[in-house]
Amino acid sequence: MKVQFFLHLFLALFFMFFVLLAQCKTHPTDIQGLQHLKNGINPNSISSGSCLSSWSFSIDPCDNIFSDRFTCGFRCDLIVSGFYRVTEISLDQAGYSGSLYMTNLPHLEVLDMSYNSLSGLIPHSLSNLTRLRRLSLSKNSFTGKIPSSIGSLLRLQELFLDNNNLTGSIPRSFNGLVNLNRLELQHNNITGDLPVLYQLRNLFFLDLSDNRITGNFFPSRFSKSIIELSLRNNYLRGEFPLNVGELKFLQVLDLSHNLLSGIILSVLFSHSSLQQLTLSYNNFTLLQMPKDLSYRNNKLIAIDLSYNNLHGFLPAFMASMPNLSALNLEHNKFSGMIPTQYAVKVVVPRNNTSSFERLLLGGNYLFGPIPGPLLGLKPGSVNVSLVDNCLYICPNTLYICHGGNQKSFLDCKKFRPMIP
């Protein structure tokens, strides 16, 4: 009799379990995953009206999404066996603090916890999210090393770990992220040599700026697919490599605030796709002039070579670049007279060419008179600065002379230009 009683009780409980399960639209594993995520957040940081404040697990999450209980923060999709699975978690920027506690959410494709105050280590358990396409932990306070296990997320297309306090080097396992389009690691404390990422053949955008990365800049370290490359404010050394032209799709290159030296190569000015070139705050000493007219077919819009040790005459060929509208050569050691071509490009550019909307030449050793076309410029028309040079006369009545005096006669006389 007792055996029969317990058998009937077991069958009754088993039946009730499946009845309840049939009424639940969210897969039990995913409910548990959402609970664990919320449990990792400091309750005191969950403010009224935020997404997490509406997560109440007394009801079915996916069945009540966008109701007064689950107002926002995740997405569900009907995938298999009649269950809804959590496919996206995108929390609001509500200042959540605490840690990131992730359990298995096997159908999660997007995880976005950016612009909050989460801290601690990035968990290795993220590697269980094998369907993840986008991972964004930007603007938090995560510390420690980047988990090498992230390199196993083969479907990942976008990875944002920028603006944290991450240390250590970039894991070599990242070369396994063959579908990655965008990688942003800027504003951390990442160290080590510039990584080798040439296997990432679908990588278009890479930002490693504002870290402590060392080594030489070698284009061969990156895939030829790269379009935007920012390595600003690191500790890169050495001279500019000749094979930069191999990055044939490159449109934006920012190597400013590093320790690069030597010659700025002419290949940069004849590059077929480059639009923005920023090499300011380095130790370059010489600018190589192109030997042919290939620079007239380039797409450069903005060039910033300021705060280097460049010497010689101002590069007149830049006035012939058809799309160039912003040129910053401030705080170098250029000498000689201002080319008339510069003034013409400011005031009356040729047909099918852009005019100079920004021309900054201050802080050099330019001498002689100001070119006539610049004398008629009116404030607010274009941004031109000629301060801190050795010009014959640059009165305050001209707005292009505002913001600083010319160098003293003695300083200009002491200067000895280097002949390239």
Side-chain angles (χ1 to χ4, degrees):
M1 293 293 292
K2 288 185 177 180
V3 174
Q4 285 184 329
F5 172 77
F6 283 112
L7 180 61
H8 284 100
L9 180 61
F10 173 77
L11 292 173
L13 292 173
F14 193 70
F15 176 75
M16 289 177 62
F17 171 77
F18 273 99
V19 169
L20 292 173
L21 202 59
Q23 294 175 346
C24 182
K25 288 190 174 183
T26 312
H27 195 284
T29 300
D30 290 13
I31 296 177
Q32 187 180 51
L34 292 174
Q35 289 176 319
H36 286 163
L37 178 66
K38 184 175 180 180
N39 290 340
I41 304 299
N42 182 356
N44 296 326
S45 70
I46 302 177
S47 58
S48 177
S50 65
C51 285
L52 284 182
S53 68
S54 71
W55 288 17
S56 173
F57 295 97
S58 60
I59 56 176
D60 183 1
C62 292
D63 196 27
N64 291 274
I65 195 168
F66 303 129
S67 68
D68 58 344
R69 297 289 186 89
F70 288 93
T71 58
C72 58
F74 66 100
R75 171 182 170 173
C76 298
D77 287 300
L78 184 63
I79 295 183
V80 290
S81 304
F83 281 112
Y84 280 85
R85 308 305 300 258
V86 176
T87 57
E88 178 176 344
I89 296 176
S90 296
L91 291 188
D92 48 339
Q93 301 170 17
Y96 301 118
S97 62
S99 58
L100 177 58
Y101 182 30
M102 295 297 300
T103 54
N104 193 16
L105 289 166
H107 292 275
L108 196 66
E109 297 180 3
V110 175
L111 177 60
D112 189 342
M113 311 281 284
S114 57
Y115 291 86
N116 281 290
S117 299
L118 302 176
S119 58
L121 302 178
I122 297 175
H124 284 277
S125 57
L126 290 176
S127 61
N128 294 326
L129 308 177
T130 56
R131 296 175 186 264
L132 211 59
R133 292 183 292 101
R134 185 175 191 270
L135 173 60
S136 180
L137 303 178
S138 304
K139 289 276 187 178
N140 280 285
S141 298
F142 289 109
T143 55
K145 295 183 178 181
I146 302 172
S148 60
S149 55
I150 290 179
S152 65
L153 299 175
L154 302 183
R155 298 189 184 187
L156 205 59
Q157 297 176 8
E158 296 180 317
L159 177 57
F160 301 86
L161 302 179
D162 55 283
N163 290 276
N164 283 284
N165 298 306
L166 300 173
T167 56
S169 58
I170 298 171
R172 293 184 179 180
S173 62
F174 275 22
N175 264 309
L177 300 175
V178 293
N179 290 304
L180 199 64
N181 302 144
R182 191 179 190 99
L183 176 59
E184 297 200 27
L185 302 177
Q186 67 269 26
H187 291 284
N188 280 289
N189 291 303
I190 295 171
T191 56
D193 281 350
L194 193 63
V196 178
L197 299 172
Y198 67 88
Q199 294 183 20
L200 304 185
R201 303 191 183 279
N202 294 300
L203 188 64
F204 304 131
F205 185 99
L206 176 63
D207 194 341
L208 304 179
S209 58
D210 298 292
N211 280 290
R212 299 167 62 191
I213 297 172
T214 56
N216 295 77
F217 172 66
F218 292 125
S220 57
R221 292 177 180 265
F222 309 102
S223 169
K224 295 179 181 180
S225 62
I226 200 78
I227 293 175
E228 296 189 26
L229 178 59
S230 180
L231 304 174
R232 179 185 64 252
N233 196 20
N234 279 287
Y235 294 93
L236 301 179
R237 296 178 177 273
E239 298 188 355
F240 218 95
L242 289 169
N243 61 341
V244 68
E246 292 180 1
L247 303 178
K248 58 183 179 180
F249 298 109
L250 190 64
Q251 295 181 8
V252 177
L253 178 61
D254 188 347
L255 297 175
S256 60
H257 293 267
N258 277 286
L259 303 171
L260 300 171
S261 58
I263 301 173
I264 298 177
L265 301 175
S266 62
V267 65
L268 289 167
F269 307 113
S270 57
H271 196 285
S272 60
S273 61
L274 194 61
Q275 297 179 22
Q276 296 181 38
L277 175 64
T278 307
L279 300 177
S280 56
Y281 291 91
N282 278 286
N283 294 316
F284 291 112
T285 55
L286 188 62
L287 190 155
Q288 187 179 56
M289 304 291 180
K291 295 181 180 180
D292 51 33
L293 300 179
S294 57
Y295 59 84
R296 293 187 176 182
N297 297 318
N298 70 21
K299 297 181 180 179
L300 274 163
I301 298 172
I303 297 176
D304 187 350
L305 307 181
S306 61
Y307 290 90
N308 278 284
N309 290 305
L310 296 170
H311 57 268
F313 298 142
L314 290 177
F317 74 90
M318 290 186 177
S320 299
M321 292 182 174
N323 300 297
L324 190 63
S325 61
L327 177 61
N328 188 352
L329 300 177
E330 286 187 316
H331 298 284
N332 280 287
K333 295 179 180 178
F334 286 114
S335 58
M337 300 177 65
I338 300 173
T340 303
Q341 298 97 310
Y342 279 32
V344 172
K345 189 172 174 65
V346 171
V347 181
V348 283
R350 296 180 303 172
N351 292 334
N352 301 318
T353 63
S354 298
S355 61
F356 275 141
E357 297 178 7
R358 184 187 304 121
L359 178 61
L360 306 180
L361 304 177
N364 284 287
Y365 290 86
L366 304 175
F367 59 80
I370 298 174
L374 298 181
L375 297 175
L377 291 177
K378 296 181 179 179
S381 55
V382 292
N383 183 6
V384 176
S385 177
L386 304 178
V387 301
D388 191 26
N389 276 290
C390 298
L391 297 172
Y392 175 67
I393 186 170
C394 197
N396 282 332
T397 53
L398 294 177
Y399 84 93
I400 58 178
C401 300
H402 289 180
N405 297 322
Q406 296 294 297
K407 289 181 171 67
S408 69
F409 174 78
L410 185 61
D411 287 340
C412 294
K413 187 176 181 181
K414 286 182 178 179
F415 177 69
R416 293 292 182 266
M418 296 176 63
I419 300 176

